Amino acid sequence: MQPRFRNWHVQLALLPAWLIVVFAYLGTMVFTVRMSFTSSKGIPIMDDVGLRQYDRLFHTDRWTISVENILIFGLLFILGCLVLGFLLAVFVDRLARFENTLRTIFLYPLAMSFVVTGLVWQWILNPALGLQANVRNWGWTSFTFDWLEQGDRAIYLVAFAGIWQSCGLVMAIMLAGLRGVDQELWKAARIDGIPTWRIYLHIIIPALAPMFITATLLLATAVVRSYDIVVAMTAGGPGISSEVPAKFVIDFLFTRQNIGLATAAATVMLITVLVVLMPWLYLQYFRSAPGARRAA
Amino acid sequence: MSALAELGPASGAAEPAGPKPKRLTAGRLGLYAFLIIAALFFLLPFYVMVITSLKPMSEIRYGNLFGWPAAPTIAAWLKAWASACTGVTCNGIEVGFFNSMKILIPSVILSIAIGAVTGYALSFWRPRGANVLFAVLLLGAFMPYQVFLYPLVRVFSMIYLYSTLICIVIVHTIFGLPVMTLLFRNFYAGIPIDLFKAARVDGGAFWSIFLQLIIPMSTPILIVAVILQITGIWNDFLFGLVFAGRENMPMTVQLNNIVNTTTGEREYNVNMAATILTALVPLVVYFISGRWFVRGIAAGAVKG
């Protein structure tokens, strides 16, 4: 059947996708990497200063603090979401009642943006009129909880707010996973007289490994992109103590007018993500039978 | 009967039909305690938002964050909607609400349309280069947006589109494409290929098969896609900030401006009312869609 005619229609249908992939993804990536080798400040200049911007980047306090923060934030956020999300799923599953109500409660934060999440927790945790003031009013006058205003603590609270927003996602994924566990596994373990907590630890959690990988990947993507929650909750402060890489790049691109440095930082982010992602993508999608329709 | 079956946490594959508790054991009590505390923790911020928005500032200054308002008033809501200030203009969050609507509707339609066509072409027709296209799209789903932003700003400036409604709609389409394509491609992978082959034998062409056979079968995934895109685009902050321009600033950006850039005394009641108003659209979508929302996040979970 007229293969050329058929192909023409398909390629036309894929044209928007090709344009986006070639120009908006690949082209911009190449351009960003190229800009990181220039001395561009407010306007782009096409010179070549080698790796000078990278050298400057790693000697910039704001960047090293950002990297430190994203590691702390990422670790706490991912672990917190996985642990709390898994526990919630197990408990909701075991309770076997009120499931819809509980799921609705645990998932609603996910429908709200990181901006909303950041602003709400900023208000609750602000020392002057929030939690601290309220507990003092209740009579515990020496109660102090002012981490939001302490440079070395604020990022922990951002992670806490993030966990509140996102751990429902993990719960939903895990709940689906628990429902998929073979009932024979439970029966066999029961016959052997293994205590429940050990069944979860040694049988259920390994059986849910794919769910944990999916959840971790989703959460990690959110970590790399985390920008709104920091802007809304702390604006990077106090001082520059809760800055993160995504915010570093935006600030240097659009307000601090240092394109060379910003694109160098963006390139570092890109390389980090690629290094982590490539092996996983390869295993997941392209190892088995290249081109097979159901390869994924 | 079998006590063993009764002890398992869930007997059906899809139902939570666990053991019906006969009496309260210590473990059972712990289960209730944990879930009740967890539920309270999750509800607390919403409760605080609502009561704060109903208090006058004179009451807020006492520092009774968790206390029920003594004299509830909706003054803060009216101010947040119609006259709260962002910088020099004081037109309330209302402006942002309509801007977000203007951005939302074309962005949702365009991103889903392109995603559906791409997913369909990749899944059933598998033209030359399909693997490359798919691989790059997949990578795009995980990349930090910071890599793409500056060159896109330059390109849009060059064609005089930067800071316009068209610009932000295109940007949402660009960055919605990976997830949308994946969503439709995975859904179409579950449709029997024989159905498609039969249509081909009947002489169906690319577009007629898509419109007459595939789209009518796609209702479930279309619902999921719409939910995903409405919440995603409404909640976006970064793209709105960078690409929408002052005239089209979406609600999230305006909210952050109202709350975080005010001079003088901060009006927490107005801030919280504005925050609830901003969260309202996705929350309504969430409560109406119920299980579909869960399906959406599971489908968006890029599980291939």
Side-chain angles (χ1 to χ4, degrees), chain A residues 13-171:
Chain A
L14 285 178
L15 191 63
W18 273 116
L19 286 176
I20 287 173
V21 159
V22 171
F23 290 105
Y25 288 148
L26 295 176
T28 52
M29 246 187 247
V30 171
F31 190 75
T32 294
V33 174
R34 171 71 185 90
M35 290 307 298
S36 73
F37 298 115
T38 70
S39 61
S40 308
K41 288 282 188 187
I43 44 166
I45 314 163
M46 280 299 164
D47 60 349
D48 185 0
V49 294
L51 293 172
R52 202 178 300 161
Q53 297 287 9
Y54 292 88
D55 187 48
R56 264 191 61 197
L57 182 68
F58 285 103
H59 289 97
T60 305
D61 283 345
R62 207 185 178 92
W63 175 253
T64 42
I65 290 172
S66 297
V67 172
E68 233 169 74
N69 278 336
I70 204 68
L71 292 176
I72 297 173
F73 173 80
L75 199 70
L76 285 177
F77 174 73
I78 294 177
L79 279 181
C81 282
L82 288 180
V83 171
L84 190 56
F86 177 72
L87 284 178
L88 286 174
V90 167
F91 282 51
V92 167
D93 187 49
R94 292 202 76 85
L95 186 70
R97 298 158 82 184
F98 314 117
E99 190 194 324
N100 278 333
T101 316
L102 287 172
R103 212 186 31 206
T104 306
I105 292 172
F106 297 146
L107 265 175
Y108 88 91
L110 204 65
M112 302 203 288
S113 58
F114 275 123
V115 176
V116 168
T117 304
L119 293 179
V120 174
W121 283 104
Q122 183 204 56
W123 164 231
I124 295 177
L125 297 170
N126 96 71
L129 293 171
L131 178 72
Q132 175 181 299
N134 201 132
V135 173
R136 283 182 183 174
N137 275 352
W138 282 339
W140 183 0
T141 48
S142 63
F143 177 81
T144 303
F145 190 69
D146 56 356
W147 284 17
L148 206 58
E149 289 178 354
Q150 287 192 20
D152 53 344
R153 299 284 164 80
I155 194 71
Y156 296 103
L157 294 184
V158 179
F160 174 80
I163 294 171
W164 175 82
Q165 200 265 357
S166 298
C167 86
L169 170 75
V170 179
M171 184 210 64

Side-chain angles (χ1 to χ4, degrees), chain A residues 25 32 104 108 134 137 183 294, chain B residues 10 42 62 65-66 147 174 189:
Chain A
Y25 288 148
T32 294
T104 306
Y108 88 91
N134 201 132
N137 275 352
Q183 287 307 301
R294 272 153 238 266
Chain B
F42 275 85
Y62 286 123
L65 182 72
F66 302 117
V147 184
I174 288 173

Side-chain angles (χ1 to χ4, degrees), chain B residues 32-161:
Chain B
Y32 274 107
F34 177 86
L35 284 173
I36 288 171
I37 291 170
L40 288 178
F41 165 65
F42 275 85
L43 289 172
L44 179 85
F46 196 76
Y47 168 76
V48 169
M49 269 198 284
V50 173
I51 57 166
T52 304
S53 72
L54 294 174
K55 288 175 187 174
M57 269 314 284
S58 56
E59 198 181 338
I60 289 175
R61 279 188 219 105
Y62 286 123
N64 285 326
L65 182 72
F66 302 117
W68 191 256
T73 160
I74 58 161
W77 283 74
L78 298 176
K79 182 163 186 198
W81 178 253
S83 63
C85 299
T86 53
V88 281
T89 51
C90 293
N91 297 319
I93 197 118
E94 180 187 18
V95 186
F97 177 85
F98 290 112
N99 284 343
S100 276
M101 279 293 173
K102 274 194 303 189
I103 296 170
L104 183 74
I105 294 165
S107 302
V108 168
I109 295 172
L110 196 62
S111 62
I112 291 177
I114 296 182
V117 170
T118 310
Y120 160 71
L122 287 180
S123 193
F124 290 109
W125 295 82
R126 280 183 291 139
R128 192 170 301 204
N131 266 353
V132 179
L133 184 71
F134 186 63
V136 181
L137 275 180
L138 209 57
L139 269 181
F142 298 101
M143 284 303 118
Y145 294 130
Q146 281 66 24
V147 184
F148 311 118
L149 290 184
Y150 184 70
L152 281 178
V153 169
R154 297 287 303 170
V155 170
F156 281 116
S157 310
M158 271 194 300
I159 53 177
Y160 301 103
L161 280 179

Side-chain angles (χ1 to χ4, degrees), chain B:
Chain B
M1 279 248 308
S2 159
L4 297 171
E6 246 179 81
L7 285 166
S11 49
E15 288 158 30
K20 288 282 172 286
K22 304 227 160 56
R23 63 193 120 86
L24 230 50
T25 61
R28 201 78 197 154
L29 215 60
L31 197 70
Y32 274 107
F34 177 86
L35 284 173
I36 288 171
I37 291 170
L40 288 178
F41 165 65
F42 275 85
L43 289 172
L44 179 85
F46 196 76
Y47 168 76
V48 169
M49 269 198 284
V50 173
I51 57 166
T52 304
S53 72
L54 294 174
K55 288 175 187 174
M57 269 314 284
S58 56
E59 198 181 338
I60 289 175
R61 279 188 219 105
Y62 286 123
N64 285 326
L65 182 72
F66 302 117
W68 191 256
T73 160
I74 58 161
W77 283 74
L78 298 176
K79 182 163 186 198
W81 178 253
S83 63
C85 299
T86 53
V88 281
T89 51
C90 293
N91 297 319
I93 197 118
E94 180 187 18
V95 186
F97 177 85
F98 290 112
N99 284 343
S100 276
M101 279 293 173
K102 274 194 303 189
I103 296 170
L104 183 74
I105 294 165
S107 302
V108 168
I109 295 172
L110 196 62
S111 62
I112 291 177
I114 296 182
V117 170
T118 310
Y120 160 71
L122 287 180
S123 193
F124 290 109
W125 295 82
R126 280 183 291 139
R128 192 170 301 204
N131 266 353
V132 179
L133 184 71
F134 186 63
V136 181
L137 275 180
L138 209 57
L139 269 181
F142 298 101
M143 284 303 118
Y145 294 130
Q146 281 66 24
V147 184
F148 311 118
L149 290 184
Y150 184 70
L152 281 178
V153 169
R154 297 287 303 170
V155 170
F156 281 116
S157 310
M158 271 194 300
I159 53 177
Y160 301 103
L161 280 179
Y162 183 53
S163 289
T164 62
L165 190 63
I166 298 173
C167 176
I168 181 72
V169 170
I170 294 175
V171 167
H172 278 305
T173 308
I174 288 173
F175 293 108
L177 187 65
V179 172
M180 286 300 106
T181 303
L182 215 58
L183 204 63
F184 282 97
R185 177 186 172 275
N186 290 345
F187 179 77
Y188 293 147
I191 291 179
I193 190 84
D194 292 337
L195 219 66
F196 170 73
K197 282 182 178 157
R200 290 283 297 140
V201 170
D202 288 345
F206 182 84
W207 290 110
S208 60
I209 295 180
F210 181 61
L211 294 174
Q212 287 162 22
L213 178 73
I214 302 298
I215 283 294
M217 295 171 75
S218 306
T219 317
I221 204 66
L222 280 172
I223 296 175
V224 168
V226 168
I227 293 169
L228 219 56
Q229 287 302 82
I230 290 181
T231 40
I233 292 169
W234 189 273
N235 286 341
D236 157 68
F237 176 79
L238 177 61
F239 298 141
L241 182 70
V242 175
F243 293 100
R246 235 165 242 294
E247 297 293 297
N248 309 298
M249 201 167 276
M251 206 170 182
T252 47
V253 177
Q254 219 200 355
L255 171 70
N256 190 55
N257 286 348
I258 288 178
V259 176
N260 280 333
T261 61
T262 41
T263 46
E265 192 192 35
R266 299 179 75 167
E267 295 180 286
Y268 294 105
N269 49 359
V270 177
N271 291 350
M272 284 303 116
T275 308
I276 300 175
L277 285 169
T278 308
L280 217 52
V281 168
L283 276 181
V284 166
V285 170
Y286 168 62
F287 283 115
I288 291 175
S289 61
R291 276 182 174 273
W292 287 99
F293 184 84
V294 181
R295 254 191 90 167
I297 54 173
V302 199
K303 58 187 163 49

